[in-house]
Amino acid sequence: MAKKAFLRGIIAGALALSLTACGGAGETSGESQDQAVQAQLAEGEKALSLSTGGNPIVGNAASAEELIYGGDPSILVDGDTVYLYTGHDTSDDNAVEHAVYTIREYLCYSTKDLKTWKSEGSVMQVNQMKVDWVNSSTTAWASQVAKHYDPEAKKDKYYLYYCSWDKTSMGKQSIGVAVADAPTGPFEDIGEPLVKGTLTDPQNSNWDDIDPTIWVEKDESGEEHRYLGWGNSRFFTCELNEDMISVKDLNGDGKITYGATPEEGDVLPRQVSAFTEAPWFYRRQDENGNYYGPYYLFHASGWREQMAYSTTDDLISGDYTLKETLMPPTATSNTNHMAVFDFKGKTYFVYHNGSLPAGNGYRRSACITELHFNEDGSVQAIPETAAGLFGTVSSIRTTEDALLTHANFTNSSADSAYPYADVKIGVDFNETPEDAEWVITAGKADPSKPAYVSVQAENKPGLYITANDDKSATLAQDTDGSEETFKKQTFHTVEGLSDKDGVSFESVSQPGQYLTIKEGELCLTDGSEKEAATFFVAPKQ
């Protein structure tokens, strides 16, 4: 029930924003909106400017009944529309405890501006009723969709490459493909695996053959090539025929085989250092849309998974050079999976974390940020961001003009370090500027109240300032989505106890207790030390 109330409040808040954000005649102006907010405030309350439009980009309030989790994001740009695809994460607490992914369908969202995302619903279910070759208790993992002209049908079609457990391949994971007439599906499987897991033998595990990525391009002579890549711990590549649903016979021997070189086989192992899984092909384009430079292979690396990239000059036979690690493990998920795409002159990086309430590595959420290249073509580091492309980042200062910051740390590669629950917050830390950035959103306990806020670390999405029972105040993840956690991570904003131009944060879970700086650290007190319990919030310029 707590989740339902929380989501209804978010929907109501989003509706109010949509009614006041358009500047048309007869609509509510920004000044009128401020007046409406002020009218809802009780004496002594204070409303802060809230961040909207941040990460995660989907799933926050898809319905009044439940959060929608979805991981392994992929992107298709089709004309003026961007389509986002995710697996639908539905693991319950028992499945999470036993490290089980429950993903039986793919969801789609669309946007024309990267800010407003429309749910297109389920585009494919993966079960024996829909896909003959999968196991009865199957779960489907990462996918990617490509658009390609079908000369036989004389129209464009859409191809969803995915992976699932294959009863025809000794129960191993295999690569499948499904076809649709529209990017929103429905996609129908071709009736058999595109690449069987038994083909790439010897194996490291039964899930060697996962996470397909697709790249279509014409070479300098005008010949089109359709490259498919995939893998876990081992990386594989092949070319597809023009039909997009069959592997090209590279060596012309009349059969599809696995071999070390194009002369020996058609499905090829490739050496990519520090490769774990989640490959994604990408190449840069000039202002005329022509591809240039090396091919980029973005991929997960290590465990917990970091984001890294390698480059090559030839997707079939070129050597891969490992370049950089771009993103450390996220603060809330053990895995990560990216999509890199160009849209309206910029390049973007979509990834997943577990930052929604009750999220984790088995209940994930898609996020977005901009990707930047250096002059030499190398890729700049990509930090996590709670604000995303459109949210607001704020600073919080004390009456002595000290910045409120969380302790500096790099997300651990050890599973035992998670979930984060006791990250210190204060003013005497040797912080980096990013550790003093905050994203202030509607209060999780009741988003409809203008004087309720939740405060999330910009560079540690999913970690919120939390009022603990022992009167400490730390950064912590919302691991259960409970009403109790919502209250602990919500604060009632009132006029500053020592200065009405400032603000004081009263705990919703412990009324009468205020966030206070004491001996350099943030904690809860009764507010009697008024200056220490007064802060000044300002959006980052």
Side-chain angles (χ1 to χ4, degrees):
M1 291 300 293
K3 287 186 183 179
K4 293 181 182 180
F6 168 62
L7 285 166
R8 289 191 185 100
I10 283 189
I11 293 171
L15 179 59
L17 285 172
S18 70
L19 292 174
T20 57
C22 308
E27 294 174 344
T28 308
S29 67
E31 182 177 355
S32 297
Q33 181 183 2
D34 290 340
Q35 292 172 348
V37 169
Q38 291 300 319
Q40 296 179 58
L41 297 176
E43 184 178 356
E45 289 185 328
K46 194 179 189 77
L48 299 181
S49 177
L50 302 181
S51 174
T52 59
N55 284 323
I57 50 178
V58 295
N60 300 274
S63 75
E65 299 301 320
E66 61 177 3
L67 294 161
I68 302 296
Y69 303 103
D72 296 331
S74 66
I75 292 288
L76 170 70
V77 179
D78 191 8
D80 65 351
T81 304
V82 176
Y83 294 93
L84 164 68
Y85 302 87
T86 72
H88 186 187
D89 288 350
T90 59
S91 294
D92 59 19
D93 290 345
N94 183 64
V96 171
E97 183 179 352
H98 292 88
V100 174
Y101 295 98
T102 307
I103 310 165
R104 295 192 172 94
E105 63 180 345
Y106 295 105
L107 306 178
C108 178
Y109 304 85
S110 65
T111 183
K112 294 182 183 295
D113 59 9
L114 302 183
K115 186 174 185 179
T116 303
W117 295 85
K118 174 187 175 184
S119 174
E120 303 287 356
S122 176
V123 297
M124 183 183 176
Q125 292 80 44
V126 183
N127 55 59
Q128 284 194 321
M129 294 290 292
K130 298 290 185 178
V131 184
D132 291 340
W133 52 269
V134 301
N135 287 335
S136 58
S137 59
T138 195
T139 186
W141 292 1
S143 69
Q144 185 178 345
V145 173
K147 175 183 178 180
H148 194 264
Y149 183 75
D150 182 346
E152 184 174 334
K154 296 183 179 179
K155 64 178 181 179
D156 289 324
K157 288 193 175 182
Y158 297 83
Y159 301 84
L160 187 150
Y161 300 91
Y162 68 104
C163 52
S164 191
W165 300 97
D166 179 5
K167 67 183 181 183
T168 73
S169 297
M170 299 174 62
K172 301 177 181 181
Q173 284 260 9
S174 292
I175 304 298
V177 58
V179 187
D181 291 324
T184 54
F187 287 87
E188 294 188 11
D189 182 77
I190 64 171
E192 61 183 356
L194 175 59
V195 180
K196 287 179 174 285
T198 48
L199 181 65
T200 56
D201 192 58
Q203 66 176 29
N204 287 343
S205 71
N206 283 342
W207 52 90
D208 279 2
D209 296 272
I210 65 170
D211 296 2
T213 181
I214 181 73
W215 185 260
V216 180
E217 181 184 341
K218 289 184 178 179
D219 62 23
E220 295 178 353
S221 66
E223 181 181 357
E224 184 182 83
H225 297 272
R226 300 152 297 272
Y227 302 102
L228 187 71
W230 68 95
N232 172 285
S233 74
R234 306 165 69 207
F235 182 60
F236 308 102
T237 304
C238 70
E239 281 200 52
L240 300 180
N241 290 312
E242 189 178 15
D243 63 8
M244 297 288 282
I245 62 172
S246 60
V247 176
K248 187 175 182 178
D249 184 1
L250 293 178
N251 59 12
D253 65 357
K255 55 186 178 180
I256 302 303
T257 57
Y258 178 62
T261 68
E263 291 72 34
E264 298 173 0
D266 316 294
V267 173
L268 312 171
R270 306 302 313 283
Q271 296 300 315
V272 180
S273 298
F275 174 80
T276 300
E277 59 182 2
W280 185 273
F281 287 140
Y282 174 81
R283 198 178 186 193
R284 301 177 75 185
Q285 298 180 71
D286 62 23
E287 57 186 11
N288 296 316
N290 299 312
Y291 292 115
Y292 71 94
Y295 296 91
Y296 292 78
L297 180 70
F298 294 88
H299 56 90
S301 178
W303 187 266
R304 297 164 70 103
E305 288 182 350
Q306 306 169 79
M307 295 283 91
Y309 80 101
S310 303
T311 61
T312 185
D313 291 325
D314 188 321
L315 290 179
I316 286 294
S317 57
D319 294 328
Y320 277 94
T321 301
L322 178 65
K323 293 295 185 180
E324 299 286 347
T325 296
L326 299 172
M327 179 184 283
T330 72
T332 53
S333 173
N334 50 12
T335 65
N336 205 341
H337 188 294
M338 86 306 297
V340 181
F341 68 100
D342 297 321
F343 187 62
K344 296 183 178 180
K346 294 184 178 181
T347 304
Y348 297 94
F349 187 93
V350 173
Y351 59 99
H352 73 225
N353 60 23
S355 61
L356 281 181
N360 48 54
Y362 306 90
R363 295 195 285 250
R364 302 159 296 181
S365 303
C367 303
I368 190 170
T369 189
E370 192 172 346
L371 183 147
H372 299 280
F373 293 92
N374 297 311
E375 289 187 6
D376 63 359
S378 59
V379 182
Q380 295 180 15
I382 305 172
E384 275 198 274
T385 167
L389 299 178
F390 301 103
T392 302
V393 176
S394 296
S395 64
I396 303 175
R397 292 181 179 273
T398 68
T399 54
E400 297 181 351
D401 203 33
L403 282 169
L404 187 70
T405 182
H406 66 75
N408 180 262
F409 66 100
T410 299
N411 298 340
S412 176
S413 60
D415 287 338
S416 59
Y418 297 84
Y420 286 115
D422 57 358
V423 178
K424 291 184 177 181
I425 307 168
V427 295
D428 292 334
F429 301 125
N430 184 25
E431 79 280 353
T432 64
E434 293 76 19
D435 297 330
E437 295 179 340
W438 305 94
V439 174
I440 301 174
T441 57
K444 296 170 68 174
D446 189 343
S448 69
K449 291 186 176 181
Y452 272 21
V453 301
S454 293
V455 184
Q456 187 176 188
E458 154 65 356
N459 65 348
K460 304 293 180 182
L463 303 190
Y464 289 83
I465 296 180
T466 304
N468 300 310
D469 294 338
D470 63 1
K471 299 297 189 290
S472 64
T474 60
L475 274 187
Q477 183 180 351
D478 179 352
T479 59
D480 58 12
S482 69
E483 183 177 357
E484 179 184 4
T485 300
F486 290 162
K487 288 182 176 181
K488 287 184 176 182
Q489 296 183 342
T490 301
F491 297 89
H492 179 206
T493 50
V494 299
E495 293 176 346
L497 297 179
S498 70
D499 185 336
K500 289 187 177 181
D501 290 335
V503 61
S504 292
F505 297 88
E506 181 186 17
S507 170
V508 169
S509 64
Q510 301 179 54
Q513 296 292 307
Y514 296 84
L515 291 179
T516 306
I517 293 295
K518 192 170 185 178
E519 298 180 355
E521 291 189 14
L522 194 66
C523 63
L524 296 175
T525 71
D526 63 7
S528 57
E529 299 178 59
K530 294 183 178 181
E531 288 195 358
T534 299
F535 301 87
F536 297 88
V537 179
K540 182 179 177 182
Q541 300 298 318

